Amino acid sequence: MDIMHEDRVIIQSLYPAWYEFRVHTLDMLRLDLVHPVISGNKWYKLRLNIMQAKDHGYKTILTFGGGYSNHLIATACTARLSGLKSVGIVRGKYPVLTPTLRNCVEEGMELIFVTKEDYERQGEPEWEQQLAAQFDSLYIVPEGGANEWGRKGAGLISKFIKPHYTHILLSVGTGTTLCGIRNKTNPQQHVMGFAPMKQGTYLTDHIAPHLDQEHKENWSLHDNWHFGGFGKWNPELIAFMNDFYAVNNIPLDIIYTSKMMYGVRDLINNNHFSETDKLLCIHTGGLQGNVSVEGLVY
Ligand SMILES: *Cc1c(COP(=O)(O)O)cnc(C)c1O
């Protein structure tokens, strides 16, 4: 599909003073530039799913998310551009729509609000059959695009990752993107996932079963920089983001990439890396979520 701007994706070197020259290279892969709405990794997790849906004649894409979900708005927009209807199953009630949900509606997505209990039933065949009965030929994408096609699609990001990098760093939510990238990069390259929620290393059990035999090693999860939990932040994180933007001219998102870069700098300062290491951080996008954040200079 040529709706995306892959030619706009660049690798940007961070300003060496920011990391005090403590590693050899610190670059950022700007996947956030791939599309203003379908940002970063979301496009990659969706594209093979959308292809599957179209190839098999499905007319409607249904997926799941919360009120601020980057995945939900990315799905709404991708579906519209691909000529498919979209339905979003939203966890919780929103008498007033969040900016993200408003955008979903503007993209033509039909929203269905369900209780936490019903939301947790995703994946249950019975519930999926009930949903399917309500719509014209339904293709279901799990929350976060976390299926085989999502992982395969995320693997396509590896084309931007040159083999000279010793470490590849990215933020994790479901771990789908990490999985795809681990499977498609050189086994010697260390892939580090930064979880923006408390006790995010539980994701290990979700990731490990999907790694190919020759890519089972050399990856790790880090969950020290959650700032109180998923979707939480404090003035220190905002100040960090503003400083990062001032120095490197890169906007980070409040949910994922800011916490990752905060962690990256902590690790660098604590000599986790050596002076010869070459790091590539992946900017997975998510900037739409910043609209509800106060105090950002960008
Ligand atoms: C969704 C998202 C992630 C997490 O991706 P997973 O494949 O679910 O691990 C990371 N960063 C941003 C900006 C996201 O929107």
Side-chain angles (χ1 to χ4, degrees):
M1 267 184 282
D2 49 8
I3 53 176
M4 305 303 287
H5 312 294
E6 281 200 301
D7 53 317
R8 293 189 195 164
V9 173
I10 55 167
I11 289 179
Q12 186 172 343
S13 295
L14 300 195
Y15 190 57
W18 188 80
Y19 55 92
E20 296 170 5
F21 298 87
R22 287 171 186 238
V23 289
H24 182 281
T25 304
L26 184 55
D27 290 348
M28 186 164 244
L29 174 62
R30 298 286 310 274
L31 282 187
D32 56 309
L33 299 173
V34 82
H35 192 278
V37 181
I38 315 168
S39 83
N41 58 342
K42 296 299 182 279
W43 156 246
Y44 291 91
K45 293 195 288 182
L46 281 168
R47 57 191 280 182
L48 300 184
N49 275 299
I50 296 280
M51 260 171 69
Q52 278 298 307
K54 290 201 70 134
D55 286 355
H56 292 94
Y58 289 97
K59 300 206 168 56
T60 309
I61 299 279
L62 178 144
T63 196
F64 305 82
Y68 298 88
S69 165
N70 294 329
H71 167 70
L72 216 52
I73 179 64
T75 304
C77 189
T78 313
R80 179 178 61 77
L81 292 172
S82 313
L84 296 165
K85 274 189 52 155
S86 67
V87 180
I89 305 289
V90 184
R91 184 183 47 222
K93 290 246 179 305
Y94 290 89
V96 178
L97 295 185
T98 63
T100 305
L101 293 176
R102 265 204 316 273
N103 289 337
C104 287
V105 171
E106 276 161 23
E107 294 288 350
M109 182 176 252
E110 177 178 343
L111 299 178
I112 298 176
F113 299 91
V114 300
T115 60
K116 269 203 175 101
E117 291 72 36
D118 272 349
Y119 190 86
E120 299 305 327
R121 292 181 65 196
Q122 59 172 298
E124 273 181 32
E126 219 176 278
W127 198 50
E128 296 204 339
Q129 273 162 23
Q130 272 178 38
L131 287 171
Q134 298 173 45
F135 298 97
D136 186 18
S137 70
L138 193 66
Y139 182 95
I140 298 181
V141 176
E143 178 181 46
N147 62 9
E148 186 62 24
W149 295 113
R151 288 185 288 273
K152 279 216 164 67
L156 300 170
I157 295 169
S158 63
K159 71 179 164 200
F160 298 110
I161 304 174
K162 305 221 166 57
H164 73 270
Y165 290 109
T166 56
H167 295 74
I168 301 157
L169 305 90
L170 76 159
S171 185
V172 297
T174 59
T176 308
T177 308
L178 185 146
C179 238
I181 288 177
R182 171 65 299 178
N183 276 337
K184 290 290 176 242
T185 46
N186 188 326
Q188 272 77 53
Q189 293 177 295
H190 193 99
V191 180
M192 297 173 72
F194 291 78
M197 73 290 269
K198 281 185 186 166
Q199 272 142 24
T201 47
Y202 83 93
L203 286 168
T204 306
D205 297 341
H206 293 252
I207 294 170
H210 301 295
L211 296 177
D212 304 338
Q213 203 50 46
E214 61 281 22
H215 294 98
K216 288 208 180 295
E217 309 289 329
N218 261 341
W219 65 281
S220 53
L221 290 178
H222 306 265
D223 60 4
N224 298 346
W225 301 279
H226 55 68
F227 287 83
F230 189 74
K232 304 244 164 66
W233 63 84
N234 64 17
E236 193 187 348
L237 187 63
I238 303 274
F240 172 82
M241 292 164 76
N242 284 336
D243 177 65
F244 189 86
Y245 183 74
V247 175
N248 297 303
N249 198 26
I250 300 176
L252 298 172
D253 83 291
I254 190 83
I255 307 292
Y256 292 98
T257 52
S258 56
K259 294 181 182 180
M260 162 177 77
M261 292 317 294
Y262 195 101
V264 169
R265 196 167 64 173
D266 242 11
L267 288 175
I268 290 175
N269 286 342
N270 290 314
N271 298 315
H272 178 87
F273 301 102
S274 82
E275 283 179 353
T276 54
D277 284 342
K278 301 183 175 105
L279 278 52
L280 179 69
C281 304
I282 303 183
H283 194 317
T284 38
L287 296 171
Q288 64 91 22
N290 284 353
V291 296
S292 39
V293 180
E294 280 173 33
L296 289 176
V297 297
Y298 53 87

